[in-house]
Amino acid sequence: MKIAQVYINQLNINTDRPFDYFVPEKLENEIMPGMRVIVPFGINNKKIDGLIYKITEGNNTEKLKKILGTIDGFPTLDWRQLEICEWLQFNYHSFFMDAANSYYPGTISIKTRRHKSGETEYYVNSKAKEDISYRFTEKFQEMDFEKLSDLLKSNAIIQKRILRLIFEKKQKHEWIKSEINNCNTALKALIKANIIEPYKSENDRSSNFNLSEKPALTIIQKKILEEYEKSDHKGYLIHGVTGSGKTEVYLRMMEASLKTGKSCLYLVPEISLTPQTINRIRERFDEEIAVIHSKITESDRIRQYRDIENRKIKIIIGARSAIFSPFKNLGVIIIDEEHENTYKSGNRPRFDTITLAGKIAELHGAKLVLGSATPSIATYYNAIMGKYKLFKMPDRINGQSMPPSTIVDMREELKNGNRSFLSKRLYDSIKRRLEEKEQVILFLNKRGYFSFVFCRECGHVIKCNKCDVAMTYHGKSNKMECHYCKSSKPVAEFCPNCNSKKIKYSGSGTERIQSMLAKYFPESKILRMDTDTMRKKDDVQNALTSFSKGEADILLGTQMITKGFDFENVTLVGVLLADLTLNFPDFRASERTFQLITQVSGRAGRGERQGEIVIQTYDPEHYVLEFASRHDYEGFYEKEIKYRKIGDYPPFTQLLYVGFSGNQRDAVKKDCETYYKMLEEEIKDLGDQDMMNQVYPPAQSNITRINNKYRYYILIKTNEIKTFNKVISKINRSRTNKIKSNMVVDVNPNIIY
DNA sequence: AGCACGCCGACT
DNA sequence: GTCGGCGTGCTC
């Protein structure tokens, strides 16, 4: 008799294991691992969806409950995907169903249906809807809006609004729904009156893009591709400076994969920042392309999912969530800008995309290609150690050398009586470039710079009520915001501590600098880009197109301007204060700073004119700045890897963060300490005394409270991550109710709070 | 998670 | 006596 091991779709540490179910005779032939099923669960036999993990034979079926039915009639996950779920469960401490749910789009509700025979059938209503649009019926197609709305009753306001939307070609149901709150009755009335009719909108993803010619390859591109073709390496790292032609290499690699009938996955750090790349891929291949990220609509996701699964779509572009696409026969995974920290997931499953992609490539026999102008230290180390084959593209494709950099010592400026944020050197350069009608990029990594609010009388800093952080003043809304819990409060007129009126508000870094720049260069137009000004989805793209059209002279911004955009007319890049990220208490501070400066420097001189870079700092001798100004990645790497070795930091070790949070400080602290003791005991059992030295004792988080939750953590810095993963899994499974705080395990986390 | 069981204090 | 608050333990 068949027994199915089923994972229940109940995301909890106690239910994160397979449960045995009896497979009824009528399902015996149908049932397979990877299928979604409906099962009764718990004391009340609640119907719940689950996923078949394994099928075994057995005789002790009397005690087992039976599977009520299947959901899809086919496996939604294949053996590879099941293996990945298990792999994520063990290596990143996610629940099995967290990973499984990442694979399958849409939510499920279980319905019952009673047959005449008395039998109850369980089925599923997927919330996935077809994409519905509305158009005018034949009779009304030619009529103009005024005439049409005269046909309606005068009080049918919603109906009129809907008609206007359809007139304006906002005919998709989804769009109408987003503009008009309760549109359903009005829509029904309009359909009943035979004025409009619904239709299934075809997807227009493969619409008319002009295919472009393939450019001729440079010598280095040719050489890399030849070696790539004949190599049987599993992983590759392309280290190429900005403008060296990496994208063309990626495109040819994809082409090679498609030629053998295999699919390609092309990952980018953030979809909204890479429209140029997406267009380039669209223009190259005469194929349908799926663009996947977390913000697409559910119906879009489901349609693309289906087309990828039945292999109609073979090219998948996306942010990190696209790694869970249902590709069947993958030839190559390309990860562009592999150093970006968006590749590390901060939610369950908390995986690292590069490691996961390596695992997936292995299962598919696909090639993994990483590319960056500033590879992460860990990746470059792996390349040096032979895990990835290293390709270098040290020259720009247009033959131009990297623009020269100047480091400006801001201490000298202070000595000379210049208290402004602009050095004489940078001011002169900006002035000259503007006179030449060239464009300037100024980069500020603000991170709390000049943005908190304090009392000049008593020094009191205004903090968030729910979090232990200073609030940030936003001039635009004239409010104070907490960047951690997103709450805001109106500005205080008096100091809440001493009642003084001398409360000092300064705008956020970029905001403040924008107004000062406007004073220095009254003739020029300044475009500011940061998370405050770029709130809406298309803001970033609109701003960047506007700047590339020359509608502004100076682009002032934070991290987001460092991403790969080409501006022909930009000849000067200024880094306003390089030290800001350098002094961050994180072992990757140097790495991040080097990457940021190098990436933003790459924006200069991409046109015909020679560019220049000016880096302002209070610490001009710092090795990061020296190497960055010389565009010397290898030099930086050599130095940095030595520091990592000395400090026993990644890539020589791995970090495991075990965090606890809850409303009561003492309870959280106690839980953290209890967990530490459990770790101690488990490790003692293993008989390896040295291992406990790799565990740092419980500590209070840097930000002690976020959203009214107190935070403690244990950090493990180890070169035996597998052993620790085993120990942690064991503890998490046995601790049941000993620990009541929220617990998070994050492997190699992005930030340590 | 979600639910039932059971132990204890408060209250008609 | 008994109602219900919440701590505890289990789900094939």
Side-chain angles (χ1 to χ4, degrees):
Chain A
M1 290 214 251
K2 277 187 176 173
I3 295 170
Q5 295 181 21
V6 178
Y7 269 100
I8 308 300
N9 197 2
Q10 180 120 259
L11 301 173
N12 184 277
I13 185 72
N14 298 316
T15 50
D16 185 35
R17 61 186 174 88
F19 289 85
D20 287 348
Y21 281 89
F22 172 62
V23 181
E25 217 170 302
K26 62 169 184 177
L27 290 175
E28 253 185 10
N29 295 322
E30 190 190 336
I31 219 123
M32 278 197 273
M35 270 185 165
R36 299 194 302 168
V37 288
I38 302 169
V39 290
F41 190 68
I43 204 137
N44 277 352
N45 286 328
K46 189 186 159 192
K47 277 91 202 159
I48 193 163
D49 64 298
L51 188 84
I52 297 185
Y53 168 68
K54 258 184 198 161
I55 291 168
T56 53
E57 291 283 335
N59 295 317
N60 304 340
T61 53
E62 300 87 44
K63 285 171 286 176
L64 301 182
K65 293 179 185 175
K66 68 173 189 192
I67 293 176
L68 298 173
T70 56
I71 290 178
D72 311 279
F74 55 88
T76 52
L77 301 190
D78 62 20
W79 65 271
R80 293 186 189 91
Q81 292 166 321
L82 287 172
E83 197 169 324
I84 291 295
C85 290
E86 224 175 349
W87 185 84
L88 286 169
Q89 188 187 33
F90 178 72
N91 289 288
Y92 290 94
H93 304 276
S94 66
F95 304 139
F96 188 93
M97 286 307 285
D98 262 323
N101 289 337
S102 310
Y103 272 112
Y104 197 81
T107 24
I108 277 174
S109 65
I110 293 164
K111 306 257 150 108
T112 54
R113 189 188 287 142
R114 212 167 281 273
H115 285 263
K116 278 175 194 155
S117 60
E119 211 181 319
T120 314
E121 188 198 352
Y122 298 94
Y123 67 102
V124 154
N125 246 7
S126 169
K127 285 194 183 144
K129 277 173 241 124
E130 294 277 359
D131 245 8
I132 297 289
S133 294
Y134 300 94
R135 63 183 165 217
F136 295 106
T137 51
E138 223 176 308
K139 217 164 111 190
F140 295 100
Q141 257 167 25
E142 304 297 321
M143 210 175 269
D144 62 34
F145 178 71
E146 300 302 325
K147 266 193 181 168
L148 255 173
S149 53
D150 284 346
L151 292 175
L152 299 171
K153 284 184 185 160
S154 59
N155 61 354
I157 300 163
I158 294 181
Q159 293 187 30
K160 281 181 196 169
R161 281 173 64 195
I162 291 172
L163 287 186
R164 174 162 294 280
L165 285 176
I166 299 173
F167 249 94
E168 288 167 357
K169 298 268 178 258
K170 291 180 178 169
Q171 75 277 44
K172 274 197 178 187
H173 183 85
E174 218 178 281
W175 296 339
I176 295 172
K177 210 172 95 189
S178 68
E179 299 239 354
I180 301 171
N181 275 337
N182 19 25
C183 58
N184 280 341
T185 35
L187 276 168
K188 267 182 204 150
L190 283 168
I191 293 165
K192 206 178 165 198
N194 216 9
I195 297 172
I196 61 169
E197 61 188 3
Y199 69 99
K200 274 185 210 166
S201 30
E202 289 302 314
N203 63 51
D204 44 9
R205 265 173 291 119
S206 63
S207 56
N208 22 358
F209 274 92
N210 296 327
L211 291 184
S212 63
E213 290 279 313
K214 278 192 240 175
L217 294 173
T218 62
I219 296 165
I220 187 101
Q221 285 171 335
K222 215 175 204 165
K223 204 177 134 229
I224 289 172
L225 287 163
E226 272 167 18
E227 277 195 48
Y228 170 82
E229 279 302 314
K230 64 179 186 221
S231 158
D232 51 7
H233 241 80
K234 284 175 188 145
Y236 302 81
L237 170 63
I238 304 179
H239 174 216
V241 298
T242 41
S244 61
K246 287 191 292 288
T247 312
E248 185 56 35
V249 176
Y250 300 150
L251 290 173
R252 302 285 176 132
M253 289 170 167
M254 289 164 78
E255 196 182 302
S257 168
L258 290 169
K259 250 183 208 156
T260 58
K262 292 185 174 184
S263 311
C264 339
L265 176 65
Y266 187 113
L267 297 179
V268 294
E270 214 176 313
I271 272 294
S272 62
L273 296 176
T274 37
Q276 291 172 337
T277 316
I278 295 169
N279 284 344
R280 231 173 121 181
I281 295 172
R282 283 214 163 109
E283 282 164 11
R284 175 61 67 86
F285 299 105
D286 191 14
E287 295 218 19
E288 229 183 296
I289 286 164
V291 177
I292 294 180
H293 54 279
S294 51
K295 283 186 189 115
I296 53 173
T297 62
E298 189 155 290
S299 49
D300 244 343
R301 189 191 306 276
I302 288 170
R303 212 173 28 224
Q304 299 200 32
Y305 181 97
R306 189 191 57 211
D307 288 348
I308 293 167
E309 191 167 47
N310 63 28
R311 315 208 55 232
K312 202 172 134 199
I313 294 180
K314 292 205 188 101
I315 301 172
I316 304 139
I317 313 171
R320 68 160 190 265
S321 63
I323 198 130
F324 291 108
S325 305
F327 31 73
K328 290 284 175 230
N329 189 8
L330 202 60
V332 64
I333 303 177
I334 291 160
I335 303 185
D336 195 12
E337 309 288 353
E338 67 80 31
H339 64 277
E340 287 288 339
N341 56 19
T342 47
Y343 285 125
K344 172 67 175 71
S345 161
N347 312 317
R348 284 181 340 212
R350 302 186 143 76
F351 60 95
D352 162 50
T353 308
I354 293 169
T355 318
L356 175 56
K359 177 75 185 170
I360 290 175
E362 192 186 305
L363 291 176
H364 281 260
K367 288 181 168 183
L368 173 67
V369 180
L370 311 174
S372 173
T374 52
S376 76
I377 294 291
T379 300
Y380 204 79
Y381 175 78
N382 282 332
I384 298 283
M385 300 305 282
K387 184 177 174 189
Y388 305 130
K389 191 171 170 60
L390 180 61
F391 293 131
K392 290 186 189 177
M393 300 178 79
D395 302 311
R396 284 183 158 186
I397 211 160
N398 58 8
Q400 283 209 350
S401 56
M402 291 302 279
S405 308
T406 316
I407 297 177
V408 179
D409 186 349
M410 292 303 272
R411 292 172 307 188
E412 288 294 318
E413 296 290 316
L414 274 179
K415 267 188 212 159
N416 297 334
N418 178 9
R419 308 191 131 262
S420 144
F421 67 96
L422 272 187
S423 59
K424 179 94 178 40
R425 173 73 176 74
L426 186 52
Y427 173 83
D428 289 344
S429 286
I430 298 174
K431 201 160 185 233
R432 201 175 61 243
R433 296 295 174 178
L434 292 178
E435 276 164 11
E436 298 283 326
K437 300 274 172 238
E438 294 165 2
Q439 285 174 300
V440 175
I441 289 180
L442 295 180
F443 170 62
L444 176 75
N445 207 7
K446 62 166 182 177
R447 279 210 131 139
Y449 182 54
F450 278 146
S451 55
F452 58 90
V453 181
F454 70 101
C455 170
R456 275 185 292 179
E457 201 84 9
C458 70
H460 178 79
V461 175
I462 297 200
K463 285 190 168 182
C464 174
N465 295 347
K466 297 188 208 161
C467 313
D468 182 31
V469 275
M471 292 191 94
T472 310
Y473 173 65
H474 289 255
K476 206 174 174 186
S477 58
N478 199 30
K479 270 188 178 162
M480 293 185 295
E481 279 180 24
C482 171
H483 285 179
Y484 286 87
C485 71
K486 311 277 176 223
S487 70
S488 69
K489 58 179 170 187
V491 294
E493 280 183 49
F494 301 95
C495 170
N497 189 41
C498 72
N499 251 343
S500 153
K501 231 186 160 175
K502 289 192 177 169
I503 274 209
K504 191 176 160 78
Y505 289 96
S506 357
S508 63
T510 39
E511 202 173 12
R512 207 167 105 103
I513 281 169
Q514 184 185 22
S515 61
M516 286 159 88
L517 272 175
K519 277 183 205 146
Y520 289 137
F521 307 104
E523 306 286 290
S524 61
K525 267 196 143 178
I526 303 157
L527 178 67
R528 187 177 120 220
M529 273 186 82
D530 53 30
T531 34
D532 294 338
T533 53
M534 303 288 122
R535 290 246 154 129
K536 274 186 263 136
K537 211 176 124 199
D538 296 332
D539 282 349
V540 176
Q541 220 190 308
N542 292 342
L544 290 168
T545 18
S546 141
F547 187 64
S548 66
K549 275 193 218 152
E551 286 166 15
D553 310 296
I554 301 175
L555 175 64
L556 167 69
T558 53
Q559 314 243 358
M560 54 176 74
I561 62 169
T562 61
K563 303 269 155 68
F565 280 86
D566 289 357
F567 305 109
E568 296 256 306
N569 200 31
V570 171
T571 49
L572 170 64
V573 166
V575 180
L576 292 177
L577 234 196
D579 318 37
L580 283 178
T581 39
L582 211 47
N583 299 322
F584 237 67
D586 184 326
F587 72 93
R588 281 161 301 194
S590 297
E591 180 178 351
R592 291 255 164 87
T593 309
F594 182 87
Q595 284 162 354
L596 284 171
I597 294 178
T598 309
Q599 296 281 342
V600 75
S601 301
R603 307 298 123 225
R606 301 203 62 164
E608 278 168 14
R609 275 159 291 192
Q610 174 71 301
E612 67 171 318
I613 296 146
V614 178
I615 303 168
Q616 301 188 146
T617 174
Y618 288 99
D619 192 1
E621 273 95 45
H622 199 290
Y623 69 99
V624 165
L625 304 183
E626 277 184 20
F627 286 119
S629 70
R630 291 207 300 265
H631 309 284
D632 181 4
Y633 178 85
E634 272 93 0
F636 167 71
Y637 169 81
E638 291 298 335
K639 189 115 185 173
E640 183 66 21
I641 200 81
K642 272 183 200 140
Y643 285 133
R644 299 281 179 93
K645 178 88 189 161
I646 293 164
D648 241 343
Y649 276 112
F652 301 101
T653 52
Q654 310 231 51
L655 296 180
L656 259 160
Y657 166 92
V658 190
F660 302 83
S661 65
N663 291 331
Q664 280 146 313
R665 170 186 257 128
D666 295 341
V668 177
K669 189 173 177 218
K670 213 179 129 223
D671 280 346
C672 192
E673 282 159 358
T674 313
Y675 198 92
Y676 185 79
K677 281 195 197 102
M678 290 194 269
L679 263 173
E680 239 173 356
E681 267 168 46
E682 282 298 326
I683 285 166
K684 204 189 278 167
D685 285 355
L686 289 176
D688 190 341
Q689 290 304 311
D690 190 49
M691 264 183 82
M692 209 52 205
N693 295 336
Q694 306 185 336
V695 184
Y696 291 72
Q700 190 165 185
S701 294
N702 233 339
I703 299 165
T704 50
R705 187 173 53 125
I706 292 177
N707 221 345
N708 277 336
K709 301 255 189 297
Y710 291 91
R711 308 147 49 75
Y712 281 80
Y713 68 97
I714 297 167
L715 194 65
I716 302 168
K717 202 165 84 175
T718 178
N719 44 29
E720 292 176 78
I721 186 113
K722 281 220 159 125
T723 317
F724 273 104
N725 276 339
K726 265 184 213 157
V727 169
I728 285 176
S729 300
K730 194 175 166 198
I731 296 174
N732 290 358
R733 259 144 240 284
S734 62
R735 67 165 182 138
T736 7
N737 291 322
K738 269 188 190 157
I739 280 161
K740 283 176 68 189
S741 309
N742 282 332
M743 197 186 82
V744 164
V745 183
D746 203 339
V747 180
N748 294 321
N750 250 344
I751 325 145
I752 296 162
Y753 290 113

